[in-house]
Amino acid sequence: MLTELKWLETAHAWPGLRTVVRVESEVYHKVSRKTTAETRYYLSSLAIKEARTDISRVANAVRGHWGIEASLHWSLDVSFGEDRCRVRKGYADQNLSAIRKISLNLLRADQGSKVGIKTRRMKAGWDNEYLKRILNI
């Protein structure tokens, strides 16, 4: 569903906001074997007429957003075990998340190594020279 809300642009000072896109989906969870319904909202700069006539463009943008999100989450979970982390006190979880994302970007930037991110991370822990190279020190 596409909705045009001109008041939202003024009320929240979001220049270029033209539409709010609502996506309703059903997700099947393999572990619990249950299906849940989800509703997500996206802010868009597309005019309502443009969004209605080019719904495939809107759908591709939504899929693209979740593709990036899933890729980042998967990388953080596989390389850093983020889902197993039970740190919840104060801002520690947010701080660790920021450190993990910075570390992931630094490790991805290393073009000299042909191994995966998890291996690069372990190598940086074992080899101070490699760590210095990653940190550009």
Side-chain angles (χ1 to χ4, degrees):
M1 179 179 157
L2 302 166
T3 307
E4 188 162 15
L5 301 170
K6 292 182 190 264
W7 64 268
L8 196 56
E9 179 178 359
T10 308
H12 295 287
W14 287 326
L17 177 64
R18 305 287 296 278
T19 51
V20 174
V21 178
R22 183 177 74 195
V23 176
E24 296 177 0
S25 62
E26 289 185 355
V27 177
Y28 177 73
H29 303 278
K30 292 179 184 178
V31 175
S32 65
R33 296 185 177 160
K34 293 182 181 178
T35 302
T36 57
E38 293 182 355
T39 303
R40 294 183 301 274
Y41 295 90
Y42 299 87
L43 304 179
S44 171
S45 60
L46 288 175
I48 189 99
K49 289 180 184 178
E50 189 179 8
R52 281 195 172 133
T53 57
D54 197 1
I55 198 70
S56 63
R57 186 173 167 194
V58 173
N60 285 335
V62 168
R63 278 189 221 101
H65 167 78
W66 283 104
I68 292 167
E69 182 68 26
S71 173
L72 174 63
H73 176 77
W74 183 85
S75 295
L76 290 169
D77 190 34
V78 168
S79 302
F80 294 89
E82 190 171 60
D83 285 350
R84 291 187 313 270
C85 181
R86 296 295 170 232
V87 174
R88 301 283 186 267
K89 198 167 188 176
Y91 292 100
D93 58 337
Q94 294 172 14
N95 294 337
L96 281 173
S97 178
I99 290 168
R100 285 187 196 106
K101 289 174 185 172
I102 292 167
S103 300
L104 181 63
N105 287 330
L106 289 170
L107 292 166
R108 280 183 175 166
D110 176 33
Q111 299 299 315
S113 185
K114 300 294 181 197
V115 295
I117 298 296
K118 190 172 185 177
T119 304
R120 291 179 199 184
R121 179 178 167 235
M122 288 189 301
K123 185 177 176 182
W126 295 328
D127 182 351
N128 286 338
E129 291 305 314
Y130 181 70
L131 177 62
K132 287 178 186 177
R133 190 173 92 204
I134 295 294
L135 296 173
N136 292 318
I137 296 178

